[in-house]
Amino acid sequence: MLVIVSCKHKKQTQTTKTKPTEVKISSSKIAIVEEKLGINKHKVEENKLYSFIADWYGTPYKYGGCDKNGTDCSCFTNILFRKVYNKNTERSSGDIYKSCDKIKRSNLQEGDLVFFVTNGKSVSHVGVYIKDEKFVHASTSKGVMISSLDDAYFKKTYYGS
């Protein structure tokens, strides 16, 4: 015979308001973002996008990766969009491109997506536009970094926004 007994006990709980934990970003990463974007430390720390970039800067590239141990371009973009803009994106760069409204490069604004054909066939790379022709992305060679759309390689492989 099995008897299950339950007693209802009302536990007094005390709620305390706590600040959300703040991520400590290394000063060297902040300095890199400052230099790349030509802005000061306070602007990096106060801007949600810039501080996110500083926090992830240098994260190694890993195909299929989706965390700070290694990430690919589409997952990095997805995490950035979720954390900075509270929006979700598709998982692959090609699917992200298909789901977006297209805009002219001359109309790019902070947070817009930029797409590249790096395999010679179809959209295979995505980044997030920052400002002044600069964008952040997870590069296969250097991990999360800031690059320029005016770099020869990106001029050649740019597909759309």
Side-chain angles (χ1 to χ4, degrees), residues 48-137:
K48 201 169 185 178
L49 174 61
Y50 300 166
S51 61
F52 180 88
I53 293 168
D55 185 38
W56 278 75
Y57 202 93
T59 296
Y61 179 87
K62 180 180 179 188
Y63 181 77
C66 209
D67 59 34
K68 286 189 183 174
N69 292 318
T71 187
D72 63 23
C73 64
S74 56
C75 190
F76 172 72
T77 298
N78 193 302
I79 293 168
L80 184 152
F81 258 68
R82 195 168 55 247
K83 300 279 185 182
V84 176
Y85 301 113
N86 217 18
K87 295 182 180 199
N88 291 315
T89 64
E90 301 294 329
R91 178 58 181 95
S92 75
S93 53
D95 287 342
I96 296 170
Y97 179 77
K98 289 175 194 168
S99 70
C100 289
D101 294 331
K102 309 315 181 252
I103 59 173
K104 292 180 180 180
R105 181 174 165 178
S106 59
N107 292 336
L108 282 171
Q109 296 179 12
E110 181 180 291
D112 288 336
L113 298 172
V114 289
F115 298 92
F116 305 88
V117 174
T118 59
N119 62 7
K121 300 174 189 170
S122 59
V123 170
S124 52
H125 189 62
V126 61
V128 178
Y129 188 78
I130 306 168
K131 64 178 207 147
D132 302 331
E133 298 300 303
K134 302 273 186 355
F135 69 103
V136 64
H137 61 119

Side-chain angles (χ1 to χ4, degrees), residues 148-157:
S148 173
L149 291 171
D150 290 330
D151 290 347
Y153 178 75
F154 293 112
K155 274 185 171 180
K156 182 177 81 174
T157 59

